[in-house]
Amino acid sequence: MEKKLKKLLEAVEKEVLRKPSRKTLDRLSLLAGFQSWDSFTKEFNGSVEDEEEAAR
């Protein structure tokens, strides 16, 4: 019984810590009103060009 529980916990940890796929990130971005994950991250992180313009 203990081995089965340990194996189950390991499987759950692995699933929780797994990085989402690009397809999942794109779909989540669509739900948030963006065209893709790239456009979502660009909106929140900005681009190097935007930071240079803001510094001027």
Side-chain angles (χ1 to χ4, degrees):
M1 179 72 170
E2 191 174 317
K3 285 185 177 184
K4 289 182 180 181
L5 182 58
K6 184 177 178 181
K7 189 172 182 176
L8 175 63
L9 289 175
E10 288 174 355
V12 169
E13 282 180 348
K14 183 179 178 183
E15 190 65 28
V16 169
L17 297 176
R18 187 177 67 159
K19 184 178 177 182
S21 70
R22 179 57 182 247
K23 188 175 183 179
T24 300
L25 294 172
D26 282 338
R27 288 181 176 170
L28 290 171
S29 299
L30 285 171
L31 287 172
F34 294 88
Q35 293 297 316
S36 66
W37 177 247
D38 289 334
S39 63
F40 177 83
T41 56
K42 186 176 179 180
E43 178 71 25
F44 289 97
N45 294 332
S47 66
V48 175
E49 296 162 359
D50 292 341
E51 292 172 7
E52 290 174 354
E53 287 180 24
R56 291 181 188 170

